[in-house]
Amino acid sequence: MRPARALIDLDALRHNYRLARELSGARALAVVKADAYGHGSVRCAQALEAEADGFAVACIEEALVLREAGIRAPILLLEGFFEADELALIDQHDLWCVIHAQWQIDAIEQAQLSKPLTAWLKLDSGMHRVGLHPADYQHAYRRLLASGKVSKIVLMSHFARADEPECERTAEQLAVFQQARDGLSAEVSLRNSPAVLGWPQVPSDWVRPGIMLYGATPFEQAQEQAARLQPVMTLESKVISVRELPTGEPVGYGARFVAERPTRVGVVAMGYADGYPRHAPSGTPVVVDGQLTRLIGRVSMDMLTVDLTDLPQAGLGSHVELWGKQVLASDVAMAAGSIPYQIFCNLRRVPLLYLGG
Ligand SMILES: *Cc1c(COP(=O)(O)O)cnc(C)c1O
C-alpha cells in the first residue's frame, strides 16, 4: 500500500477548540467548512460535538453532510442561502443562517416556515465582500424582527486584516460595527482565528475559530497565543527509492536542482496530486526519521525528492513528515508562497487516519 497518509489528532483539535473558548471567554462555533479545512468535517464535528456550542459551514450542502452523519448541534451557514428555495431545507434541518443581503430578507419575509429562524445579520464593516451597508443595518434588523420569521438575531461582521497585529484597520472596522449596531441589544460575533488569538479587546458573545482549530497560525510572525496551538494534521509518507548523485547531476523535472556536492537523494511517495504544494522550492523543510532536512528539486505529481546526504542512517523505508508537529504546515505554506488554509484545503488522495477518537 502506498505509504502516504494524513494523521488527524482529535485530542489536539479539542485542545485548540478549548483554547479558543478560553482566550475569548465566549461561545465558539467551530468552523468546519471545506471539509474542516481538509481534516474531514464529519469526524472533526463528531470529535467536538460533546463540547462545541455549534459549527459553521459555508453552505447548506456542507451542513447536510453533518446532519446526515447525525450531528444535532447548531450549524450556521456562513453565507446563508444562495437561492430562496433553500429556506425549506434550512427550516427542516434547523440550520442557523447568515443574512448578508437585502434580497435574503425579502425571501425570509415571503417564506413559509414551520418555526422561526435564528439569523446572523452580517454587517459590511469594511472588508467589502458581503454584508449590509452600515446605513442599512438597523433597518434590516427591524425588518427581520418585524417579519415574524426569526426568533433570534445575532449581530456579526468579519475582519479583513486581523492577522496583521499592527494594522489599524481592525479597530476601524470595530468602530464601524459599534456605530452601526448602536442601540440594538443583541449578541455579537466578530472574531475569527486571528482575532481570537490577537485581538482580546474585541467584544464577542460568539467567536468563529477556523484555522486555529487545526493548529495552524494565521499570523506570518511568531505570536504568543498561536504558540499554544497544537498541530492536528501530520502529513506523512516514506522514502521509496534512494539515489547517489555525483556533483553536477540534476534531479527531477526541469533539472531544478543540480547536485553541488555528491548528494544522496531520497524519493518520497508524496506529490502535488496529494496536495503537497508544487511551488515549494528546494530548501523547504521536511523531516526524515525525526531529523530536519530539505526538499530538493521540483515536486511532481506522485513523488518528491529530499536531501539525505547528511542523514546517513536514513534510507529506503524511512519515515517522512511533510508537515505536522515537527515541520509546521504554516512554514511549508510560507516557503511555497501560500497559506496553511490553502495547503490544508488542497489535501486529496491521501487517506485520513484519525487518532484520539
Ligand atoms: C471562514 C470563516 C471564519 C473562520 O476563519 P479563520 O480565519 O479560519 O478562523 C470565520 N468567519 C467567517 C465568516 C468565515 O467565512
Side-chain angles (χ1 to χ4, degrees), residues 31 33 37 78 122 156 158 192-194 208-211 341:
V31 180
K33 63 189 178 189
Y37 297 38
L78 288 167
K122 188 165 186 176
M156 79 175 286
H158 194 56
N192 54 0
S193 297
R208 309 186 304 267
I211 194 73
Y341 297 76

Side-chain angles (χ1 to χ4, degrees), residues 16-17 19-33 37 56 76 78 120 122-123 125-127 129 155-165 169-171 173-174 177 188-214 216-219 223 225-226 229 339 341:
N16 297 330
Y17 179 80
L19 183 64
R21 273 239 194 93
E22 177 200 319
L23 290 174
S24 63
R27 282 168 284 170
L29 293 186
V31 180
V32 294
K33 63 189 178 189
Y37 297 38
L76 175 67
L78 288 167
W120 287 44
K122 188 165 186 176
L123 175 76
S125 59
M127 186 164 182
R129 203 175 48 173
L155 310 178
M156 79 175 286
S157 193
H158 194 56
F159 292 126
R161 302 184 67 178
D163 57 329
E164 298 172 67
R169 187 65 173 171
T170 299
Q173 282 196 255
L174 176 61
F177 176 79
V188 163
S189 177
L190 297 171
R191 293 160 75 186
N192 54 0
S193 297
V196 168
L197 293 163
W199 295 87
Q201 64 276 39
V202 173
S204 251
D205 300 295
W206 292 90
V207 294
R208 309 186 304 267
I211 194 73
M212 70 175 288
L213 295 179
Y214 310 103
T217 178
F219 301 103
Q223 203 264 357
Q225 302 303 345
L229 297 170
I339 53 175
Y341 297 76

Side-chain angles (χ1 to χ4, degrees), residues 102-218:
Q102 301 285 357
W103 72 264
Q104 291 176 321
I105 302 175
D106 301 340
I108 285 177
E109 282 177 340
Q110 286 151 27
Q112 304 289 325
L113 303 174
S114 70
K115 55 197 170 306
L117 283 174
T118 294
W120 287 44
L121 187 62
K122 188 165 186 176
L123 175 76
D124 177 6
S125 59
M127 186 164 182
H128 302 322
R129 203 175 48 173
V130 294
L132 290 138
H133 191 279
D136 301 329
Y137 197 59
Q138 301 243 346
H139 181 61
Y141 180 90
R142 284 192 296 273
R143 265 185 75 199
L144 270 182
L145 267 192
S147 73
K149 305 275 172 65
V150 303
S151 54
K152 174 173 176 170
I153 304 175
V154 176
L155 310 178
M156 79 175 286
S157 193
H158 194 56
F159 292 126
R161 302 184 67 178
D163 57 329
E164 298 172 67
E166 306 300 324
C167 180
E168 285 166 20
R169 187 65 173 171
T170 299
E172 288 168 14
Q173 282 196 255
L174 176 61
V176 170
F177 176 79
Q178 296 292 31
Q179 196 180 6
R181 63 77 51 108
D182 190 37
L184 303 181
S185 66
E187 292 172 356
V188 163
S189 177
L190 297 171
R191 293 160 75 186
N192 54 0
S193 297
V196 168
L197 293 163
W199 295 87
Q201 64 276 39
V202 173
S204 251
D205 300 295
W206 292 90
V207 294
R208 309 186 304 267
I211 194 73
M212 70 175 288
L213 295 179
Y214 310 103
T217 178

